Amino acid sequence: MNSHLTITLAGKDHPQLINQLAAKTHEFGGKWLVSKISRLDQQLVGIIKIEIPDAFAEQLESEFNKLSDFYVKIVKSDQPQVFVKTEHITLKVESSDRPGIVNDITNILHDIGINIDRIENHRIGVPDLGKTLFFAELSIDVPNQTNLEQLIESVQQVEGDMRVEVVD
């Protein structure tokens, strides 16, 4: 039998770190199923889903936990996944900025039953307008029966001047 480990890690980046993690996984007969890793200001953050033979799962966990200057969280999941037919779309959001805007957008999507696969956002100050603008791009999995027009309208209710569109 195989185990599935979801590993979240964050800490100081150093040369060949990703290669070392992949090599250690391979050494124990595991494989990376999905990974998302980013570097920012000499820091590395990532999430990795690994499939590994049960006999080596604890050894791999121990090796990952030995990383110095790193936070590592490992969650084991052996439950079969239930798949709902979904469509993967990207939402582009533009609005005036305010505290809590990301929280409000994610709460609306959660309430509708939509999973966020990826979110990237940034803010730009516009001195001529005397305000800050908020921009976000969200990759989401939308159940096939979801009405996209209603979804867009729901998200736009977060802020009066919010523009939301589906992009290809």
Side-chain angles (χ1 to χ4, degrees):
M1 292 284 304
N2 288 332
S3 294
H4 288 96
L5 306 176
T6 301
I7 303 170
T8 305
L9 45 92
K12 186 177 179 188
D13 190 17
H14 62 271
Q16 300 299 315
L17 176 62
I18 296 171
N19 181 271
Q20 291 169 2
L21 298 173
K24 194 54 73 173
T25 303
H26 178 71
E27 179 182 325
F28 291 115
K31 61 182 174 183
W32 289 18
L33 300 176
V34 180
S35 64
K36 293 187 180 188
I37 299 173
S38 297
R39 289 187 169 96
L40 179 66
D41 294 333
Q42 285 125 27
Q43 298 292 310
L44 182 132
V45 296
I47 187 166
I48 308 164
K49 183 167 186 175
I50 295 175
E51 181 179 26
I52 188 163
D54 288 338
F56 298 107
E58 287 185 24
Q59 290 173 293
L60 183 67
E61 287 183 46
S62 176
E63 290 297 319
F64 272 58
N65 282 316
K66 288 180 185 176
L67 292 171
S68 61
D69 297 326
F70 254 81
Y71 164 82
V72 177
K73 174 72 174 166
I74 301 173
V75 177
K76 187 174 181 178
S77 172
D78 291 323
Q79 297 182 11
Q81 296 180 352
V82 177
F83 292 100
V84 175
K85 290 186 179 184
T86 61
E87 177 183 359
H88 190 77
I89 65 170
T90 301
L91 289 181
K92 185 175 178 182
V93 177
E94 298 175 8
S95 175
S96 296
D97 190 26
R98 65 166 172 75
I101 196 165
V102 172
N103 181 60
D104 292 345
I105 292 169
T106 58
N107 278 336
I108 284 177
L109 294 174
H110 172 75
D111 290 346
I112 297 171
I114 293 178
N115 291 321
I116 300 170
D117 184 45
R118 181 185 58 83
I119 179 171
E120 292 185 25
N121 65 275
H122 62 278
R123 291 157 167 87
I124 298 175
V126 184
D128 292 345
L129 297 176
K131 64 180 179 178
T132 302
L133 299 178
F134 170 83
F135 299 90
E137 191 169 287
L138 298 97
S139 294
I140 59 176
D141 292 320
V142 180
N144 286 346
Q145 71 275 10
T146 303
N147 181 314
L148 291 181
E149 288 179 21
Q150 289 177 342
L151 169 64
I152 290 169
E153 287 175 13
S154 295
V155 175
Q156 285 175 330
Q157 291 176 13
V158 167
E159 192 63 33
D161 68 345
M162 183 172 284
R163 290 185 32 220
V164 179
E165 66 179 316
V166 175
V167 294
D168 296 325

